[in-house]
Amino acid sequence: MHAGSYNSLLVLFSLLVAMLASYTALDMAGRIATAQGRAAHWWLAGGACAMGIGIWSMHFIAMLAFHLPIPLGYDLPITVASLLIAIASSALALWLVGRETLPWRRLAGGALLIGSGVAGMHYTGMAALRMVPGIYYIPSLFVLSVVIAVLASGTALWIAFNLRRESVWVRPLRAGASVVMGLAIAGMHYTGMAAAQFPIGAVCGAARDGMDTGWLAVVIIVVTLAVLAIALITSVLDVRLEARTSMLAISLAEANQELTYLALHDNLTKLPNRVLLEDRLEQAIQGATREKSRFALMFMDLDGFKAVNDAYGHPIGDQLLVAVARRIGANVHSQDTIARLGGDEFVLLASVSEPADAATLAEKVLSAMREPFQVAGRELRVSTSIGIAMYPGDGELQHDLLTNADAAMYHAKALGRNTICFFEASMNANVHEQLQLVQDMRMALERRELTLQYQPKLTAPNGPIVGVEALVRWMHPTRGLIAPDQFIPLAEKTGLIVPFGDWILDEACRQMRAWRDEGRPEWTMAVNLSALQFRHASLIATVRDTLARHALEPCCLTLEVTESTAMRDADASLQILQQLHDMGVRISIDDFGTGYSSLLYLKRLPASELKIDRGFIRDLSRDTEDAAIVSAIVALGRTLNLNIVAEGVETAKQQEFLTRLGCNSLQGFLLGRPMSAENLIESLSNDNLLSEPVEEGTIGSCYDAGYLTPHYD
Ligand code: C2E
Ligand code: CA
Ligand code: CA
């Protein structure tokens, strides 16, 4: 037998290459596991090449380290074949490691296949020597070498699989594992070499026409190191890139989430907004249809919220809304949806089995809302009006349900606020009716259907008349006389109030001119301004032009603005009022006592008159609290030097009481109903008696009747 010997430097190199190849393999396995789509294929192909070349060159360098006392050479095609076997085995290994799971069966099968592959590569590589006679392998060592190959492959697979994900310790762990794997691969090789016996006299068939071994060693070492280094560097760069990409992806996902949240929620209360509500409503409809269950859609609107906002400003109003949202939330089930549609409108979507359950739930919310709210050290009170639509029954589509719940809510408000109201089909008729009314209203001016009535204002207790208040009426061609309460809010909503208001002012001034010419120069004319008119840019010019047109002095015109209108956006209001005041027009604060005027603000108002709201006068004799409020308002007016008018005086008792409290002027059915200009003059000539005294209690119906039928007292 020829005795072989080894070049120890090359042996060391072969070991290093084996370890480096193992490390590269582990690294590649990690790339394949985390890469996606096409990238994973490229990593598999590149990784298999790098790893295959690594293992193969370990084997080949070790072969070059081996010396026999005869010339050696390697057959090129067989050598290439052994390289291909190495690459194929590596590809199989990497593919296995890249799977989601690695069950024991697959691990064992993989180890067997790859182990045989590595052994195959080795013995094919040996065959490239083309020894004649052939190499004799000692069977036990041969088997041992294959067993080592299989065991090493199994261990490598297992380690690679478990170290494929990136983590803090993965690099040192991989380094350790690649030392073990490198030793195992080399062990297999050198065991295989120990099994090989070269008979004396054997010659290497590839020595002459095969490749020369000297420079081959250098080339292979350089190429292999280059391949492995490139593979590793690419991998490290890719890990960094991937980390950056994934960080970007995370922040992108977070931003996306935030945007989605913002798009679906109300900024202030963090409740779902209309978009999300509509989506939930759609789901609720589908769910209820499928499961034959029911749900209730409740439309809630706060009563008295505007007054709070006007009085304390938006920041306090906002805090109140947040507190309201929280309180509603505390009184419903967590799976129910509460949404805010903007302003003081909330919607509750609740699954219930019976309308009675919906009523119970709504009552619960209602009574919770009645409790005062503590906001910024203040105690604020609001109540709620709730309209309820049931599914199925009150609409098939989400839009219908919302519209119907809304209609029911308006009904609840009309019923006197702080109450609940279920939807009924007749409420929709109301909507159509209103639409029709708006259409008719557009023609009203052209058709000269508006008229003014005048209600006298008297010096307390019995006169004389100091002026009149102009109150508009609409003579509808088919519905008869319509009271302002029934069309002024609609005219406000549609903007028609502006041309209406211009006409009213002009007509009132025309009438005043006529009275002056008839010899009543002391009467002043009061004209009501609605919120929209008050804010309209042309107000000042219109007032000035109208007065000029009728050659009237500004001081004979009083403009009545409600307290809540004057309080809304206090600074802007103040500016408008100041301009009117500077012009010489008098300002009266109407419906006083219903808002939340602060004394400080009131002091700055250039007003000359306060009109105590009718609500305080009604129960004056019975309600001591109202009496206290009226006397407080009177006292306030006195200190601010304002004329105090009590409106809605219906009984002699009220007349006497208000006079005693110190009101300067009185206005009411007792002293004169609103009437046409001719009737006013006529009743004056009738013994100065404007109307019969009316008994307390009978007024309500008279008043109501007064809305619908013209009265020519
Ligand atoms: P307002 O300015 O508070 O007008 C007083 C209302 O009380 C009038 O109702 C009047 O008829 C009624 N009234 C007068 N005396 C008594 C009484 O003794 N008892 C009772 N229960 N009521 C009395 P009207 O004319 O129906 O007007 C209602 C509201 O409509 C007015 O309240 C005002 O806010 C608005 N309005 C009326 N005319 C005009 C107008 O020309 N322009 C604008 N923008 N609004 C108007
Ligand atoms: Ca008024
Ligand atoms: Ca009033």
Side-chain angles (χ1 to χ4, degrees):
M1 289 288 142
H2 281 303
S5 67
Y6 286 98
N7 174 332
S8 49
L9 192 67
L10 283 181
V11 168
L12 203 67
F13 259 121
S14 76
L15 203 61
L16 275 177
V17 167
M19 288 172 188
L20 199 59
S22 302
Y23 188 84
T24 313
L26 287 175
D27 202 80
M28 294 292 142
R31 301 286 58 228
I32 293 164
T34 51
Q36 273 157 9
R38 275 200 164 179
H41 291 122
W42 282 112
W43 280 117
L44 181 66
C49 285
M51 181 178 159
I53 290 174
I55 297 173
W56 174 83
S57 66
M58 174 270 142
H59 152 84
F60 207 75
I61 294 165
M63 288 301 292
L64 296 176
F66 181 67
H67 273 289
L68 277 182
I70 51 170
L72 291 180
Y74 296 92
D75 182 274
L76 186 61
I78 302 180
T79 306
V80 170
S82 74
L83 174 62
L84 292 181
I85 292 173
I87 292 176
S89 315
S90 302
L92 177 64
L94 288 177
W95 181 79
L96 279 175
V97 172
R99 301 293 87 197
E100 275 301 309
T101 56
L102 185 61
W104 284 108
R105 281 245 204 108
R106 197 184 292 165
L107 179 64
L112 211 63
L113 269 172
I114 296 161
S116 333
V118 173
M121 169 210 63
H122 174 82
Y123 289 105
T124 310
M126 296 291 282
L129 286 169
R130 291 220 318 261
M131 295 304 288
V132 184
I135 305 170
Y136 168 75
Y137 291 102
I138 302 170
S140 58
L141 284 176
F142 171 77
V143 171
L144 182 64
S145 77
V146 177
V147 170
I148 290 176
V150 171
L151 285 181
S153 304
T155 317
L157 270 182
W158 186 83
I159 293 174
F161 183 80
N162 287 295
L163 288 183
R164 65 205 174 130
R165 303 266 173 221
E166 297 294 328
S167 72
V168 195
W169 288 104
V170 80
R171 285 191 185 275
L173 280 174
R174 271 182 198 166
S178 41
V179 171
V180 176
M181 278 166 65
L183 285 173
I185 295 170
M188 179 264 143
H189 175 87
Y190 290 106
T191 314
M193 290 304 284
Q197 301 289 309
F198 300 87
I200 299 283
V203 289
C204 173
R208 213 153 3 109
D209 52 353
M211 297 168 285
D212 176 51
T213 56
W215 59 270
L216 206 57
V218 179
V219 171
I220 285 178
I221 288 172
V222 169
V223 169
T224 306
L225 289 180
V227 167
L228 293 179
I230 289 172
L232 273 178
I233 289 170
T234 317
S235 167
V236 168
L237 288 182
D238 188 68
V239 168
R240 291 226 182 125
L241 193 72
E242 193 176 79
R244 269 240 303 279
T245 317
S246 78
M247 245 156 70
L248 267 178
I250 288 171
S251 53
L252 207 68
E254 278 172 0
N256 220 3
Q257 225 172 1
E258 176 81 14
L259 272 180
T260 316
Y261 184 86
L262 284 180
L264 296 179
H265 290 82
D266 165 45
N267 239 345
L268 179 66
T269 59
K270 307 289 177 251
L271 291 179
N273 63 11
R274 184 183 283 276
V275 181
L276 187 53
L277 172 73
E278 283 175 357
D279 188 58
R280 299 255 174 99
L281 191 50
E282 197 56 57
Q283 286 175 19
I285 290 175
Q286 285 171 11
T289 314
R290 202 172 43 236
E291 288 153 26
K292 306 237 172 308
S293 60
R294 315 179 89 163
F295 67 83
L297 186 71
M298 305 192 190
F299 217 103
M300 312 182 183
D301 192 283
L302 302 184
D303 311 320
F305 175 71
K306 212 151 67 186
V308 171
N309 228 358
D310 293 344
Y312 297 122
H314 287 280
I316 300 279
D318 284 356
Q319 284 184 48
L320 177 62
L321 286 175
V322 173
V324 164
R326 216 175 287 141
R327 195 172 290 178
I328 300 175
N331 283 281
V332 302
H333 294 299
S334 55
Q335 69 267 25
D336 297 343
T337 297
I338 315 159
R340 176 171 172 241
L341 300 193
D344 55 353
E345 286 181 349
F346 294 87
V347 170
L348 172 61
L349 178 64
S351 57
V352 290
S353 40
E354 288 299 321
D357 298 340
T360 313
L361 180 61
E363 288 290 357
K364 191 173 156 203
V365 172
L366 218 58
S367 73
M369 299 291 285
R370 266 195 285 264
E371 296 299 314
F373 288 88
Q374 300 295 336
V375 174
R378 292 190 172 83
E379 193 178 273
L380 300 177
R381 284 172 191 277
V382 288
S383 58
T384 320
S385 300
I386 304 183
I388 307 175
M390 296 292 300
Y391 184 90
D394 296 340
E396 296 305 311
L397 305 173
Q398 45 147 312
H399 173 262
D400 296 345
L401 281 167
L402 272 170
T403 314
N404 292 344
D406 191 24
M409 189 276 292
Y410 270 104
H411 231 75
K413 273 215 188 291
L415 286 178
R417 295 154 184 255
N418 194 15
T419 128
I420 66 172
C421 190
F422 277 91
F423 172 75
E424 282 164 26
S426 63
M427 292 174 188
N428 257 341
N430 231 339
V431 173
H432 292 303
E433 208 171 285
Q434 291 217 327
L435 279 177
Q436 184 62 49
L437 208 61
V438 170
Q439 270 177 4
D440 294 348
M441 214 152 58
R442 293 188 199 285
M443 322 286 281
L445 272 185
E446 219 173 282
R447 294 188 192 155
R448 303 171 156 274
E449 288 167 359
L450 295 187
T451 62
L452 290 187
Q453 293 199 337
Y454 303 93
Q455 186 177 32
K457 254 185 223 178
L458 279 78
T459 306
N462 278 317
I465 293 183
V466 286
V468 297
E469 178 179 1
L471 295 162
V472 69
R473 302 288 180 263
W474 179 11
M475 253 325 250
H476 191 277
T478 54
R479 294 181 201 207
L481 200 69
I482 302 182
D485 283 343
Q486 289 170 21
F487 71 89
I488 295 280
L490 262 182
E492 271 258 314
K493 255 195 211 165
T494 52
L496 278 170
I497 190 67
V498 176
F500 278 19
D502 291 351
W503 180 85
I504 291 166
L505 186 65
D506 185 73
E507 174 61 14
C509 287
R510 188 199 59 76
Q511 185 59 61
M512 187 156 45
R513 178 77 263 160
W515 280 332
R516 306 229 132 185
D517 295 343
E518 285 165 23
R520 298 182 190 279
E522 68 289 352
W523 287 7
T524 62
M525 175 70 72
V527 173
N528 290 287
L529 287 187
S530 73
L532 195 74
Q533 277 176 283
F534 182 63
R535 293 255 169 265
H536 204 266
S538 66
L539 175 72
I540 308 289
T542 306
V543 171
R544 185 184 296 122
D545 295 352
T546 311
L547 286 170
R549 190 159 51 245
H550 297 286
L552 290 168
E553 290 161 50
C555 64
C556 56
L557 177 68
T558 305
L559 293 177
E560 295 193 3
V561 181
T562 64
E563 184 190 8
S564 59
T565 302
M567 295 306 295
R568 197 168 314 151
D569 191 355
D571 288 332
S573 294
L574 214 58
Q575 226 184 339
I576 299 169
L577 289 173
Q578 193 63 50
Q579 275 175 282
L580 290 170
H581 176 81
D582 292 348
M583 202 193 295
V585 172
R586 289 152 57 89
I587 309 292
S588 172
I589 306 298
D590 206 351
D591 299 348
F592 190 78
T594 51
Y596 284 84
S597 295
S598 79
L599 206 56
L600 228 74
Y601 176 66
L602 200 62
K603 248 168 83 175
R604 289 164 61 204
L605 277 186
S608 48
E609 185 177 275
L610 286 188
K611 287 184 88 171
I612 305 171
D613 189 63
R614 294 203 290 284
F616 297 111
I617 314 296
R618 197 168 36 217
D619 300 322
L620 205 53
S621 53
R622 263 169 277 148
D623 194 327
T624 50
E625 200 179 316
D626 282 353
I629 291 174
V630 171
S631 63
I633 294 176
V634 171
L636 182 71
R638 283 249 174 87
T639 33
L640 297 179
N641 223 353
L642 296 173
N643 193 48
I644 307 290
V645 183
E647 60 176 349
V649 182
E650 296 179 348
T651 66
K653 227 174 177 173
Q654 291 168 341
Q655 179 187 32
E656 190 248 12
F657 201 74
L658 290 162
T659 308
R660 196 146 40 85
L661 283 177
C663 291
N664 308 98
S665 314
L666 304 180
Q667 189 184 348
F669 290 170
L670 175 71
L671 306 156
R673 286 171 172 269
M675 52 195 126
S676 66
E678 304 87 73
N679 287 334
L680 183 72
I681 302 300
E682 198 181 318
S683 51
L684 270 179
S685 53
N686 283 350
D687 217 353
N688 219 1
L689 244 179
L690 289 165
S691 72
E692 300 294 324
V694 198
E695 286 301 313
E696 198 176 354
T698 60
I699 298 295
S701 51
C702 296
Y703 175 63
D704 290 340
Y707 271 154
L708 297 168
T709 49
H711 33 251
Y712 305 102
D713 329 44

